[in-house]
Amino acid sequence: MAEKTEVEMLKEKLFNKKENGWINTKQKENIFVYSKGYIDFMNKSKTEREIIKSSKEIAESKGFKDIKEFNTLKTGDKVYFINREKSMYLAVIGKNSIEDGVNIIGAHADSPRLDLKPNPLYEDSEFAYFKTHYYGGIKKYQWTTIPLSIHGVVVKKDGEKVEINIGENEEDPIFTITDLLPHLAQDQMEKKLKNGIDGEDLNLLIGSIPYSEGVPEAVKLNILDILNKKYGITEVDFLSSELELVPAMKCRSMGFDESLIAGYGQDDKICVYAELTALVDMQEVPNRTAVCIISDKEEIGSMGNTGMESHMFDTFMAEILNKLGVNRPNLLDQVFSKSKMLSADVDAGFDPIYANVSERNNAGYLGRGISLNKYTGARGKSGASDANAEFVAEVRNVFEKNDIKYQITELGKVDVGGGGTIAYILANKGIDVIDCGVPVLSMHSPYEVTSKFDLYEAYKGYKAFWNA
Ligand code: MN
Ligand code: MN
């Protein structure tokens, strides 16, 4: 090989190298094996309740126990707490005093979808339908003419809970929302994209056989008869149900080189999987207590008692302080003020087809590793939690020492749009927080795309942060 010129050497020393992570990686086999585990996890868990169920299984198989089972806690104990089947906190008690702060990584398990309305069932022109109300930021036209499955629970008034999951197995029927044929869509095609499909037109087609001749609403009756025989429910039971429509498409390996992953709900289940496996795979007890958050309701503003804005997380942390026998007034606030956090949420990946929304120097690229957003927000950083430079330096140092590929990015061009995560909620408690996740293409669509390389770097990066 030819000697490097002085200019080349100077460039190497001074430039921030941004390179494709696949080049020179020795980890390709590990990346592919790890990604297979992620794809399997995704195919078992499409809703927040299913994610919590799968996460509990993984945690328990690695020795984590419900914090209720402990009267006292000590170094090395592995605990979890599940909040109403929808959010979960886990911790490994570290060697250092908890009063020096903890290291937190937090992701969210909820993803954009269509929820059933409380009175969903109706019949029109001998078709039966479910009315829906979309959850989170979606482009409505993307949710018609795709196979959808129904997941969730119906809780009867006596508290009996009926679990529903239909449309995932090959033998199951699927459901879909129809759209207009192009031949008759002249008016629709003139509309703005955002108005092309009305929210009230996202009605799920669920059947067409009448129960008997000459009865009004005979198709609706037949559907209720089927549901009654199959699940033991009647129409009024929908009032106390949470039923979610999600794409009935499998998460799969993508591309001739199989470098990518396509699947529903990767925002933010990809970070949930990376943080959870990083936590349970840790070989040694960390110095600082490692805390893992799987939150709910991020896509609609983190409100409610399963969202990050709820005090449930503080209650969990206070419970740890109680069971360590150290708690006293104001201690939790002091612990938070010395704590550090990676807010593990996905980033908008640079898409060359839509390059004009990104600023190339500050965009997140698929295949370049974990993506750090110093701040999010929109239009002048409004609403952002802007990570302190000192903390960014600390995180950089951890990643560089552990050979983790990372990029520091912004979500889109200035004034084009923006977004938010749970970062500010934890930062408001006094914690040092930075957003740190995986770049995604087609975010919030029924079929999001990520890079296996970035997923694996997130896993390694999260582990390194907890081990630091
Ligand atoms: Mn997200
Ligand atoms: Mn999102």
Side-chain angles (χ1 to χ4, degrees), residues 108 112 267 298-299 345-346 443-444:
H108 66 91
D267 173 8
E298 192 278 338
E299 296 295 355
D345 207 342
V346 296
M443 197 196 291
H444 284 203

Side-chain angles (χ1 to χ4, degrees), residues 295-353:
S295 186
D296 182 34
K297 297 287 184 284
E298 192 278 338
E299 296 295 355
I300 56 168
S302 295
M303 297 299 180
N305 63 11
T306 59
M308 203 64 235
E309 293 274 13
S310 130
H311 287 209
M312 292 302 289
F313 178 63
D314 298 31
T315 305
F316 170 73
M317 291 301 298
E319 191 70 2
I320 290 178
L321 298 180
N322 291 337
K323 291 188 173 178
L324 283 169
V326 297
N327 210 358
R328 57 180 186 269
N330 204 36
L331 180 61
L332 182 59
D333 287 336
Q334 288 178 36
V335 169
F336 280 149
S337 70
K338 292 175 189 160
S339 292
K340 301 165 190 182
M341 177 181 180
L342 301 180
S343 162
D345 207 342
V346 296
D347 186 22
F350 175 81
D351 186 335
I353 301 176

